[in-house]
Amino acid sequence: MTSHVKRAFKYRFYPTDAQAAELSRTFGCVRKVYNLALAARTEAWARQERVNYNATSAMLTMWKKTEELAYLSEVSSVPLQQTLRHLQGAFTNFFAKRARYPRFKSKKNSRASAEYTRSAFTFRDGHLTLAKMTEPLDIVWSRPLPEGARPTMVTASRDAAGRWFVSMLCEDPAVKPLPSTGTAVGIDAGLDHLLTLSTGEKIANPRHERRDRARLAKAQRALAKKAKGSANRARARRRVARIHARIADRRRDYLHKLTTRLVRENQTLVIEDLTVRNMVKNGSLARAISDAAWSQFRSLLEYKAAWYGRDVVVVDRFFPSSRLCSTCGALREKMPLSVRTWTCGNCGATHDRDENAARNLKAAGLAVTVCGAGVRPQRSTPGGQSATKQKTSRREP
């Protein structure tokens, strides 16, 4: 029997006052349990002791018996156990050097969520009812679930703009490997154009944040004038959050459509390993780089490629894709950011900087697939040269 891909389907819902109050209590208890468990594990770590999930689960039982934390028993226990599992995963990633040390959850953060396993919800005839609730959620079914799908995990969340969402994890039989196309494409990320492909196609950068920049600035100025802790400040904060949410929604929708198209059309996709975390330290380009969302693009591309049987090859960021002539292979010593087109001094070929980089990435990626997985094209690093490569010569206004 073929195993199906598990896929999350996210929908907006509108809770009743009672449901909103119950979820808000659950969110608060989830945050409290996470922080208590993190503090206990941190103190144990200082004593050079290890505390695992089973130990924190036993602690949760004891906390519920205390007068101070008795309110933890008023909400479903499943989200509380799930947050302890997430904390265990965070420590596993930390010890494996895949992530930083876990941080405490702030009460000021308006984003909140609670995860329910199958024992803590019922789903019948298209109606979802969570534990401790008597009525099903009023969900806006913007798209149908796969036929016959039964959710195995449900996550209820509220974003900073005050919108409520429910995400249902289901098996999706429609997701299966696509027929092989035999084509490969190099993808060079940038700011003037969001992507430049080795085929010569340039994909425009929609600059979603710039479209709402004036509106966002006005809302942020209004927020700054409100007294801290006041109801007016809370309303102003939600106005700012709604603008950010609209920008993020447009960006996510655009990237989903773009990555789906690239994965469907190509068998092998070659990208560069950009260190976005370091690149946003550039004050003049940080806003434009964040708006381009290269990390989100890579994440979407990689999981969709895994779904549909495609290959994503990541070329090392030190590979000189812009300075290498894609015609003869000659390496140019310097390439100022202001140079957008250049002529090879060896063979005389004239190159568009980004197109040339995309073609070189494609060639390097194909070499990786021939030589074996895990190979990363490298270059000799001149003394004092930055490890990150900027992608545009123009400053964002």
Side-chain angles (χ1 to χ4, degrees):
M1 182 177 179
T2 304
S3 61
H4 296 143
V5 170
K6 286 194 173 182
R7 183 177 182 182
F9 292 82
K10 189 174 183 180
Y11 303 93
R12 190 168 180 182
F13 74 95
Y14 294 87
T16 63
D17 291 342
Q19 290 172 340
E22 177 62 32
L23 285 171
S24 295
R25 280 196 299 270
T26 303
F27 294 159
C29 291
V30 165
R31 182 185 65 250
K32 182 67 174 179
V33 168
Y34 185 94
N35 288 342
L36 287 172
L38 177 54
R41 295 185 69 147
T42 301
E43 292 170 4
W45 177 253
R47 299 191 302 268
Q48 297 184 345
E49 298 176 3
R50 287 286 184 95
V51 175
N52 57 16
Y53 162 75
N54 292 331
T56 55
S57 181
M59 291 178 188
L60 175 59
T61 303
M62 298 302 297
W63 294 333
K64 289 181 178 180
K65 295 178 180 179
T66 64
E67 183 178 352
E68 182 184 1
L69 299 174
Y71 62 87
L72 295 177
S73 299
E74 297 175 3
V75 302
S76 172
S77 63
V78 172
L80 307 185
Q81 294 289 346
Q82 287 300 105
T83 198
L84 295 179
R85 291 188 176 94
H86 289 309
L87 179 60
Q88 177 65 36
F91 271 101
T92 300
N93 290 331
F94 167 70
F95 291 130
K97 298 183 179 180
R98 292 191 296 265
R100 296 180 177 180
Y101 193 82
R103 294 183 296 178
F104 291 96
K105 294 182 181 294
S106 172
K107 189 175 182 179
K108 295 181 180 179
N109 189 353
S110 300
R111 292 176 175 271
S113 65
E115 192 173 86
Y116 297 80
T117 58
R118 189 174 290 173
S119 62
F121 67 87
T122 58
F123 183 75
R124 295 191 185 96
D125 302 323
H127 296 288
L128 176 69
T129 306
L130 301 179
K132 300 288 185 178
M133 295 185 185
T134 57
E135 299 179 15
L137 301 180
D138 181 15
I139 299 174
V140 179
W141 296 99
S142 52
R143 56 175 173 169
L145 288 174
E147 187 175 353
R150 304 290 300 177
T152 57
M153 188 86 72
V154 168
T155 303
S157 61
R158 182 189 60 213
D159 68 5
R163 303 179 301 177
W164 296 85
F165 294 95
V166 62
S167 178
M168 290 177 271
L169 187 66
C170 308
E171 287 190 350
D172 189 356
V175 176
K176 58 185 68 175
L178 297 171
S180 177
T181 63
T183 58
V185 65
I187 304 171
D188 182 69
L191 294 179
D192 285 342
H193 294 88
L194 183 64
L195 302 176
T196 301
L197 308 184
S198 55
T199 59
E201 179 184 357
K202 294 194 173 187
I203 297 171
N205 185 353
R207 293 183 168 87
H208 300 285
E209 186 269 344
R210 180 187 286 181
R211 289 170 55 184
D212 276 337
R213 188 173 295 177
R215 186 179 302 167
L216 179 61
K218 181 179 179 180
Q220 288 173 329
R221 286 195 299 269
L223 173 62
K225 295 176 182 177
K226 301 296 186 291
K228 291 186 178 181
S230 66
N232 283 339
R233 185 177 179 85
R235 284 192 290 270
R237 183 199 57 75
R238 283 194 293 271
R239 282 193 290 271
V240 172
R242 281 196 292 269
I243 297 173
H244 278 298
R246 184 164 56 245
I247 294 169
D249 288 346
R250 286 201 303 261
R251 182 186 297 124
R252 188 184 309 109
D253 179 69
Y254 183 82
L255 291 178
H256 267 297
K257 292 174 180 176
L258 178 58
T259 51
T260 298
R261 187 203 119 191
L262 291 173
V263 167
R264 289 186 180 277
E265 293 178 353
N266 301 280
Q267 180 64 38
T268 304
L269 304 104
V270 187
I271 59 176
E272 188 177 8
D273 185 19
L274 298 174
T275 53
V276 178
R277 181 180 295 175
N278 291 335
M279 297 175 75
V280 294
K281 294 177 182 178
N282 183 326
S284 62
L285 295 175
R287 173 179 275 181
I289 291 172
S290 298
D291 192 28
W294 293 329
S295 295
Q296 187 177 14
F297 166 78
R298 174 175 172 175
S299 176
L300 296 177
L301 192 72
E302 288 180 333
Y303 84 70
K304 290 181 182 181
W307 278 1
Y308 297 112
R310 302 311 200 201
D311 301 314
V312 174
V313 180
V314 182
V315 175
D316 192 273
R317 63 181 177 271
F318 294 142
F319 179 66
S321 57
S322 297
R323 298 187 293 113
L324 191 67
C325 175
S326 59
T327 302
C328 68
L331 182 63
R332 183 164 171 168
E333 288 189 10
K334 294 183 179 180
M335 180 74 68
L337 293 176
S338 58
V339 176
R340 308 314 298 171
T341 60
W342 61 282
T343 301
C344 176
N346 186 50
C347 66
T350 300
H351 300 292
D352 174 274
R353 181 192 184 104
D354 298 331
E355 271 186 56
N356 178 68
R359 287 195 294 267
N360 284 325
L361 289 173
K362 175 184 175 181
L366 292 177
V368 168
T369 59
V370 171
C371 297
V375 180
R376 293 291 181 264
Q378 300 282 344
R379 71 170 181 186
S380 56
T381 308
Q385 188 157 354
S386 172
T388 60
K389 182 173 72 171
Q390 299 299 337
K391 292 303 214 177
T392 183
S393 60
R394 298 195 304 181
R395 292 191 176 189
E396 283 287 297

